[in-house]
Amino acid sequence: MKKLIFILLISFNLSAQTIPQDKMLHFSGCYIVSATTTTIASHYLPKKKAFWVGVSVGTAVGLAKEIWDINHGNPEWGDLGADVIGAFAGSITITYRF
């Protein structure tokens, strides 16, 4: 039985799903914009407002990029989703110390 389980385990391809580089670039770009904005805003605003300012600016930058892509590239909903997730992640990282 142990041999059968071993053979089954090595016969399956257990690779993880890959994330396209384009989505990682959208995520990381909005992460950096949001984290920077949240850091600057936290010097002037309460934490909660600084968080939402950072998310809003990061999302606005991503949305502007997708609007620009309408005429000059290939706009995708997945890119906008990566932008929003990156904006939230950037603000969360700055606002809440882990």
Side-chain angles (χ1 to χ4, degrees):
M1 184 66 169
K2 289 181 184 179
K3 289 181 183 178
L4 178 62
I5 293 173
F6 178 74
I7 291 171
L8 286 174
L9 286 176
I10 63 170
S11 67
F12 290 116
N13 184 4
L14 299 176
S15 65
Q17 181 180 0
T18 59
I19 299 172
Q21 184 179 6
D22 180 47
K23 304 299 184 265
M24 289 190 289
L25 290 172
H26 279 272
F27 176 89
S28 60
C30 288
Y31 180 96
I32 291 168
V33 169
S34 178
T36 304
T37 304
T38 303
T39 300
I40 294 169
S42 66
H43 292 291
Y44 304 103
L45 300 171
K47 274 186 172 183
K48 199 172 203 178
K49 286 186 179 182
F51 172 84
W52 287 111
V53 168
V55 170
S56 299
V57 172
T59 301
V61 168
L63 183 62
K65 168 66 169 85
E66 291 307 309
I67 290 172
W68 186 83
D69 276 347
I70 290 173
N71 293 325
H72 301 92
N74 185 21
E76 295 180 17
W77 285 107
D79 291 347
L80 187 59
D83 294 334
V84 172
I85 293 169
F88 269 97
S91 287
I92 287 171
T93 302
I94 299 302
T95 305
Y96 300 103
R97 304 287 178 195
F98 294 104

